[in-house]
């Protein structure tokens, strides 16, 4: 990747990250049910999360107990809000309060930590999704600089190439055989992970790979969808006119992944690693699940690069609506309007 091309791509990624696009990408028509093995055990939101890249300066401290999620949110400007919400499936949502003023929030887990959506109220006191601000935050104990490739660490570079020439059980065995830290890094590149997960799930759906293979749950981690859904959407995407757009974005991410691995091993100069790290940060902020990426390509002719800030992929095929939290901390039965699909 040339320096000019890289800078243009980085600028484009930053613009996409800054402009919160509240689009929900859903596959048209009925999809197969999600297999039971794809249902991930919900991870507790308890912990401290720190913003990175464009979200630098934001901090969220949370305690989750019996479905309640409370704590404190500090935005990038230093304003402090109390958090009062409730877990709903794999996300949490509720109210923010500061000096008598109220706002709303919604958060979802991401590979490094959480995606936090600050939603101000409109004149009627309901969530103004058009003015929502998205923040990407990592768990406090995550070494973000290392994950971005800007700080060297001991790792083996180049093993990702093993995954391109294999399919079926051979692919699953190769993925399973990767070092855990390398799979962790690959998972951050959403199109690369979607590419791998889609191929593994296609093999499962074709009965060419046993669903009990240990690589299957690893490939489905954080995806919140089963192989039947992902394989179906991948097939539709591959038949779409703009699938080449997905492949082009995949190629960029693959190159960045290899560069990041090389930077982590100390085999690249500082300037290259800083550029790659900045581009990685913008992409990690917009991380999406495989089902969303393939649905975008299949149903809308996109590249799978859109931002779903409000969070999709609940594992049921439908987004959860925001709900109001009353003064006592309970969730009312009146749904708050969700963002409209594009």
């Amino acid at each position: 990747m040339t320096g000019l091309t890289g800078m243009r791509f980085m600028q484009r990624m930053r613009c996409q990250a800054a402009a919160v696009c509240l689009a929900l990408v859903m596959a048209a028509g009925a999809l197969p049910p999600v297999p039971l093995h794809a249902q991930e055990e919900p991870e507790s939101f308890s912990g401290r999360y720190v913003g990175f890249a464009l979200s630098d300066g934001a901090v969220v401290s949370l305690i989750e107990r019996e479905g309640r999620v409370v704590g404190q949110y500090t935005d990038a400007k230093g304003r402090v809000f109390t958090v009062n919400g409730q877990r709903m499936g794999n996300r949490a949502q509720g109210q923010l309060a500061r000096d008598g003023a109220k706002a709303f929030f919604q958060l979802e887990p991401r590979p490094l930590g959480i995606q936090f959506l600050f939603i101000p109220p409109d004149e009627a006191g309901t969530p103004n999704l058009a003015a929502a601000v998205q923040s990407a935050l990592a768990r406090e104990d995550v070494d973000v600089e290392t994950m971005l490739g800007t700080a060297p660490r001991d790792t083996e570079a180049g093993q990702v190439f093993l995954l391109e020439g294999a399919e079926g059980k051979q692919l699953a065995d190769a993925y399973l055989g990767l070092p855990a830290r390398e799979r962790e890094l690959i998972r951050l590149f959403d199109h690369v992970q979607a590419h791998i997960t889609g191929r593994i799930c296609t093999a499962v759906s074709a009965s060419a790979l046993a669903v009990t293979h240990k690589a299957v749950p690893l490939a489905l981690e954080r995806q919140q969808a089963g192989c039947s859904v992902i394989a179906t959407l991948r097939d539709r995407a591959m038949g779409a006119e703009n699938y080449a757009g997905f492949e082009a974005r995949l190629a960029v991410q693959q190159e960045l992944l290899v560069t990041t691995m090389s930077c982590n091993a100390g085999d690249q100069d500082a300037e290259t690693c800083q550029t790659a790290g900045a581009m990685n940060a913008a992409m990690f902020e917009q991380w999406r699940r495989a089902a969303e990426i393939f649905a975008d390509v299949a149903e809308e002719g996109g590249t799978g690069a859109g931002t779903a800030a409000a969070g999709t992929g609940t594992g049921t095929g439908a987004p959860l609506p925001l709900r109001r939290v009353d003064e006592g901390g309970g969730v009312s039965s009146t749904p708050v309007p969700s963002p409209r699909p594009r």
Side-chain angles (χ1 to χ4, degrees):
M1 181 184 302
T2 65
L4 180 59
T5 301
M7 290 303 294
R8 285 176 176 170
F9 181 81
M10 181 170 64
Q11 290 170 355
R12 186 165 64 251
M13 292 297 298
R14 284 175 171 170
C15 288
Q16 290 176 354
V20 179
C21 177
L22 298 170
L24 297 179
V25 182
M26 299 177 62
L31 292 176
V34 178
L36 293 177
H37 73 265
Q39 303 297 333
E40 300 173 19
E41 188 67 25
E43 181 180 348
S44 174
F45 287 119
S46 294
R48 187 171 186 269
Y49 304 85
V50 181
F52 62 91
L54 296 177
S55 304
D56 188 34
V59 178
V60 176
S61 297
L62 300 173
I63 296 176
E64 179 183 346
R65 189 172 298 158
E66 297 181 350
R68 298 300 306 164
V69 178
V70 298
Q72 182 174 287
Y73 164 64
T74 304
D75 67 13
K77 297 179 180 179
R79 297 178 301 179
V80 180
F81 299 80
T82 59
V83 176
N84 179 19
Q86 182 171 334
R87 173 183 282 275
M88 300 185 71
N90 285 294
R91 69 179 64 168
Q93 55 192 38
Q95 282 190 349
L96 300 171
R98 176 177 180 267
D99 298 332
K102 294 183 179 180
F104 304 88
F105 79 91
Q106 187 173 84
L107 63 89
E108 279 197 347
R110 288 292 183 264
L112 289 180
I114 60 172
Q115 176 197 69
F116 190 92
L117 198 65
F118 175 92
I119 311 170
D122 58 20
E123 292 182 357
T126 58
N128 182 2
L129 288 169
V133 177
Q134 171 187 296
S135 297
L137 302 102
R139 284 192 176 273
E140 190 174 33
D141 59 351
V142 172
D143 186 352
V144 176
E145 288 190 356
T146 293
M147 301 307 293
L148 295 178
T150 55
R153 69 174 179 182
D154 294 330
T155 187
E156 298 178 30
Q159 293 198 41
V160 69
F161 293 116
L162 291 173
L163 304 178
E164 280 306 313
E167 296 297 337
K169 186 176 183 301
Q170 185 181 10
L171 169 64
D173 289 343
Y175 186 65
L176 182 63
L178 291 174
R181 297 183 79 179
E182 187 164 318
R183 282 198 304 271
E184 177 187 25
L185 182 61
I186 291 172
R187 195 173 290 123
L188 295 175
F189 292 79
D190 58 359
H191 279 54
V192 177
Q193 186 63 55
H195 181 54
I196 294 171
T197 302
R199 288 156 63 202
I200 288 177
C201 283
T202 296
V204 169
S205 296
S207 300
L209 177 66
V211 72
T212 55
H213 193 292
K214 293 182 179 179
V216 175
L218 289 175
L220 289 172
E221 188 173 337
R222 301 281 184 182
Q223 296 300 326
Q224 297 182 12
C227 269
S228 58
V229 171
I230 292 174
T232 297
L233 288 172
R234 178 175 182 259
D235 287 345
R236 293 181 184 178
M238 292 181 71
E241 182 177 349
N242 196 41
Y243 187 68
F246 168 84
E247 292 182 313
R249 191 172 179 84
L250 171 64
V252 170
Q253 288 199 8
Q254 286 175 324
E255 183 174 350
L256 279 171
L257 171 59
V258 173
T259 300
T260 302
M261 293 166 63
S262 188
C263 286
N264 286 340
D267 295 334
Q268 291 285 352
D269 60 81
E271 184 178 358
T272 297
C273 294
Q274 288 173 1
T275 300
M279 295 170 72
N280 287 345
M283 285 194 298
F284 295 170
E285 285 191 312
Q286 301 179 78
W287 186 90
R288 304 175 77 208
R289 300 182 182 93
E292 297 170 27
I293 292 171
F294 289 136
D296 182 32
V297 178
E299 308 302 336
E300 300 186 21
T303 63
T307 302
T312 62
T314 61
T316 63
L320 288 171
L322 288 166
R323 293 182 180 275
R324 292 190 180 89
V325 179
D326 61 31
E327 296 293 340
V331 178
S332 76
S333 59
T334 305
V336 175
S338 296
R340 294 181 179 180
R342 284 184 291 178

